[in-house]
Amino acid sequence: MQKKENEYNNGCCDIASDSNCSSTTYGKITLVGTGPGNIKYLTKAAVEAIEECSVIIGYSTYLKQISTMLREDQEKLHFNMKDEITRCEAAINKSMEGERVVIVSGGDAGIYGMSGLLLELLEKKSLIGKIPLDFISGVPAFCSAACSVGAPIMNDFCVISLSNLLTPWEEIEKRLDFASKADFVIIIYNPKSAKRKDELTAAKEILLKNINKTRPAAIVKAASRPDEEIVITTLEHIDEFSLVSMNTTIIIGNSTTFVKDFYMITRRGYGNKYQL
Ligand code: SAH
């Protein structure tokens, strides 16, 4: 099914056929992925959407990361970390006032980000198809972290978040077990927070049942930011470093991954097919 672009007039959508015959001009809501947290890595489309909006909404940390791009005439709505539902509701209300809204979300907004929640809320409120929407991809943290150590994701991979705030821990355990049995490169998000300190060790113990303890692992904190830190280690040690935090991504190689100097390299398979 195609988006009905012709219904959208300069980022607004005039709905005059609601059952109560009221007419509302909805402003467009754009979900913008801001990448790893350094404006150098924003896409051109993200920059344009931010420039064009009249209201910008986001977690304070993400808004601070792009503060130098914002103008005085733009309304900035800062929110705390766990206020995601309120953020979406604020965006919907502003859209109903005809404002052109941007919601920023770190990395890509569609990966553990704000896009899905906004769509779920719009679906509940029967507003899908009424409010014009746009989704602008951002560089996901696992891509930034991978670039910091070379080419660790050259074959099939999976991302597993250790946050059990919205996903039950038993499911996370199951995914770690299956992923390690299937020889994926495994990327771990949300390895630790102020409240969740033991999950990484628990995850490591599950992985060690199926993966050799000497398997290369990269720990990347604040990837692509000026304060980036990197450790290349092995699976058995991933829970021993103080740089592991909410801003850290861990990449555990597959059975073909090796380390040379500062680089972590997963074989794509060229060596089996061609003389390298
Ligand atoms: N939407 C984001 C992911 C949000 S989940 C994306 O597309 O990547 C938040 C997790 O992403 C963090 O706990 C951390 O594991 C990872 N992360 C976000 N920014 C990061 C960065 N600059 N460096 C390393 N990891 C990061």
Side-chain angles (χ1 to χ4, degrees):
M1 202 164 65
Q2 269 192 321
K3 260 201 284 189
K4 293 186 194 151
E5 290 289 354
N6 55 350
E7 280 185 6
Y8 301 164
N9 175 16
N10 194 23
C12 291
C13 183
D14 196 15
I15 307 286
S17 55
D18 287 353
S19 49
N20 59 7
C21 289
S22 67
S23 171
T24 308
T25 302
Y26 297 99
K28 179 158 86 171
I29 303 180
T30 306
L31 273 290
V32 174
T34 53
N38 179 338
I39 51 175
K40 227 165 63 171
Y41 294 95
L42 281 178
T43 65
K44 195 160 182 281
V47 172
E48 280 171 11
I50 291 168
E51 278 169 2
E52 284 164 12
C53 76
S54 54
V55 178
I56 185 154
I57 293 177
Y59 170 40
S60 295
T61 305
Y62 298 142
L63 284 181
K64 271 187 211 135
Q65 286 167 352
I66 56 163
S67 60
T68 54
M69 299 171 58
L70 303 179
R71 296 186 311 270
E72 269 193 8
D73 63 298
Q74 291 175 308
E75 188 178 357
K76 295 120 198 140
L77 301 181
H78 291 253
F79 287 85
N80 292 327
M81 179 129 69
K82 289 193 184 132
D83 287 343
E84 289 93 350
I85 296 175
T86 327
R87 267 179 250 172
C88 290
E89 278 167 351
I92 295 168
N93 290 339
K94 288 292 174 184
S95 156
M96 287 176 157
E97 290 167 17
E99 301 287 351
R100 212 164 164 146
V101 182
V102 156
I103 303 178
V104 287
S105 193
D108 185 278
I111 302 177
Y112 308 99
M114 296 292 295
S115 301
L117 175 60
L118 179 72
L119 283 167
E120 281 189 56
L121 282 172
L122 291 177
E123 204 265 328
K124 268 253 148 39
K125 294 173 189 284
S126 303
L127 284 170
I128 289 191
K130 292 185 178 173
I131 294 186
L133 299 173
D134 206 358
F135 299 87
I136 295 180
S137 187
V139 180
F142 64 82
C143 294
S144 308
C147 283
S148 301
V149 293
I153 317 181
M154 284 296 293
N155 211 314
D156 298 341
F157 66 98
C158 65
V159 180
I160 300 178
S161 165
L162 298 191
S163 171
N164 58 351
L165 294 178
L166 300 171
T167 304
W169 178 250
E170 300 70 47
E171 268 182 46
I172 299 171
E173 284 183 323
K174 199 165 70 184
R175 288 171 192 170
L176 289 163
D177 182 45
F178 284 134
S180 53
K181 282 183 174 134
D183 200 25
F184 283 112
V185 173
I186 298 173
I187 294 146
I188 294 187
Y189 268 4
N190 294 295
K192 207 179 237 185
S193 73
K195 286 197 182 144
R196 294 181 306 98
K197 295 190 190 304
D198 303 323
E199 280 75 2
L200 183 58
T201 302
K204 180 184 90 170
E205 296 304 331
I206 295 168
L207 298 179
L208 280 172
K209 288 186 190 151
N210 305 310
I211 302 178
N212 196 298
K213 63 182 182 178
T214 58
R215 179 69 58 84
I219 305 176
V220 185
K221 181 178 183 190
S224 307
R225 297 185 201 157
D227 55 334
E228 177 180 277
E229 287 179 64
I230 303 167
V231 165
I232 296 188
T233 180
T234 53
L235 174 59
E236 65 180 322
H237 298 300
I238 55 171
D239 54 345
E240 295 171 13
F241 297 92
S242 59
L243 80 164
V244 175
S245 72
M246 276 302 282
N247 288 317
T248 305
T249 292
I250 301 176
I251 305 176
I252 297 151
N254 72 10
S255 58
T256 74
T257 305
F258 64 102
V259 171
K260 184 74 190 159
D261 295 336
F262 315 107
Y263 300 116
M264 185 164 152
I265 306 137
T266 296
R267 295 188 200 278
R268 176 74 183 89
Y270 290 104
N272 303 332
K273 198 166 165 144
Y274 307 102
Q275 202 101 41
L276 288 186

